[in-house]
Amino acid sequence: MRDLIEFIRQYDPEFPSKVRGASIEETARLEQLVGRDLPAHYKEFLLHLGKNMGDLQMPETDFHIGRVLKFYEVGKRKPPARYIFIGAQLEDPYDRYLLDCGDSARQDCPVVRADPQEPFKTTDNLWVSFPSLKDMLFVLAFSVKRMESLPHRRQFTPSLEEGEDGLSRVPPGLMDSLGKIMAMQGFERQPYTSELNPLFERGDAAFYASRNPEGGGMTAELAAQDEREFKRLIEVIRDNTALL
C-alpha cells in the first residue's frame, strides 16, 4: 500500500497527511468475524487507509472498516466463505463490493460487485469488476488524483462485437492496440496495474483503460492540458482503435 500512497504523493504531496489507517485490533476483529485471514493486500489497505481515505473516494461508496465491521456484526445475510465484504454503495444501485478469495490464502483477490437484492443467492448476482484490489485502487487514484488535475477530459466506450454465444464483448486485441498507440504518442505505461487496467502518463496528458475481466465491458478516459492537443489525441484514438 505504500506504493499507492507514494504514487498519489507525486500528484498531491499532502495526501499522506489526509489518510488514517485502522488499528491492528480492528483488523484482528474483522478476521475473527470473517473466519479467515484477510488477504495481505486488503489488510495493508485497512492499516493505511481503513479509517480515512482522504479525498481518494469512489462516489457514494464506503470502504471504511467501521462499515465492514458493522456488516459482519449485525448483518443478517453473509456471503459464502470464499467472499469477503469490503464496502458498499450508499445510493442507488446500492451494489456491494466483495473480494473473491477462493478457498486458500492469497496476497490479493478479484473485486466483485453484488446485487443488493439477492447478493449471495447464486453467482448470477455477482460480477467481477477488477482482477485485483490493487488494480481497483490504482485506477481510482489515477482517475481522482491525475485526471482531475487536467482541464480537458473525455470518456470513451468500445464498439462491442457479438460473440458466438450471442453476448457482446470488447473486440480482441483492443488493449494491445491502445498500448501501441499510446507509445507512439509519447505516453509511458505505468507499472502498477495489470494488462486489463493500463495507466498511461505523458506529463501534459494522461490516459487509462479499464476492462471487465469477464470481457463484457470497458471504460477509457483521456485528459490533457492543451485543448488543441486534446482534440488531436481524441482523433488519433478514435481512428486507430475500436474506442468511440
Side-chain angles (χ1 to χ4, degrees):
M1 197 55 53
R2 293 185 185 278
D3 57 348
L4 176 68
I5 293 175
E6 289 304 313
F7 176 73
I8 296 172
R9 190 202 293 267
Q10 67 181 312
Y11 304 120
D12 179 5
E14 301 301 318
F15 180 74
S17 65
K18 301 175 185 177
V19 300
R20 185 159 62 98
S23 68
I24 293 175
E25 292 76 17
E26 286 172 314
T27 59
R29 172 61 176 159
L30 180 56
E31 285 184 324
Q32 181 184 42
L33 291 168
V34 171
R36 62 183 296 169
D37 291 340
L38 300 177
H41 198 72
Y42 179 52
K43 190 171 185 177
E44 190 179 358
F45 162 76
L46 291 175
L47 291 172
H48 285 84
L49 302 166
K51 279 285 185 68
N52 189 343
M53 295 174 64
D55 51 1
L56 183 65
Q57 299 290 338
M58 192 177 291
E60 300 301 332
T61 305
D62 188 354
F63 294 104
H64 296 161
I65 194 168
R67 174 167 290 275
V68 179
L69 287 170
K70 184 177 180 181
F71 172 86
Y72 279 101
E73 289 170 342
V74 304
K76 295 181 179 180
R77 292 185 293 180
K78 304 295 191 301
R82 66 178 291 161
Y83 299 104
I84 298 176
F85 172 85
I86 63 169
Q89 287 183 291
L90 307 179
E91 294 187 356
D92 191 25
Y94 300 106
D95 288 339
R96 296 176 180 180
Y97 287 81
L98 312 167
L99 296 179
D100 183 358
C101 300
D103 300 322
S104 58
R106 300 175 64 175
Q107 288 290 108
D108 204 352
C109 307
V111 178
V112 302
R113 296 169 71 177
D115 184 327
Q117 299 302 316
E118 292 292 343
F120 316 125
K121 191 172 183 179
T122 72
T123 56
D124 292 339
N125 298 307
L126 302 173
W127 58 97
V128 182
S129 293
F130 292 92
S132 68
L133 179 64
K134 182 176 182 180
D135 265 32
M136 185 186 83
L137 292 174
F138 270 96
V139 169
L140 176 62
F142 199 67
S143 176
V144 171
K145 291 298 184 178
R146 177 53 176 151
M147 309 296 276
E148 288 187 1
S149 71
L150 296 167
H152 305 289
R153 300 177 68 179
R154 185 188 192 280
Q155 289 190 338
F156 297 84
T157 57
S159 175
L160 300 179
E161 294 182 355
E162 184 173 319
E164 295 181 358
D165 56 5
L167 298 177
S168 296
R169 289 186 171 85
V170 175
L174 176 54
M175 287 304 199
D176 288 340
S177 298
L178 281 173
K180 292 175 183 177
I181 294 299
M182 291 296 104
M184 291 175 62
Q185 298 303 312
F187 288 81
E188 291 188 2
R189 165 82 189 276
Q190 300 298 292
Y192 308 102
T193 53
S194 72
E195 295 297 322
L196 292 175
N197 294 279
L199 313 176
F200 298 96
E201 175 63 76
R202 201 184 70 176
D204 67 325
F207 179 88
Y208 79 88
S210 181
R211 179 174 175 178
N212 186 295
E214 297 175 341
M218 173 181 168
T219 59
E221 185 172 8
L222 170 71
Q225 186 67 43
D226 179 75
E227 183 176 11
R228 179 177 296 180
E229 177 64 4
F230 174 67
K231 291 180 179 178
R232 186 190 73 82
L233 288 171
I234 289 175
E235 292 304 313
V236 168
I237 292 169
R238 293 182 61 181
D239 290 346
N240 292 278
T241 73
L243 293 181
L244 304 175

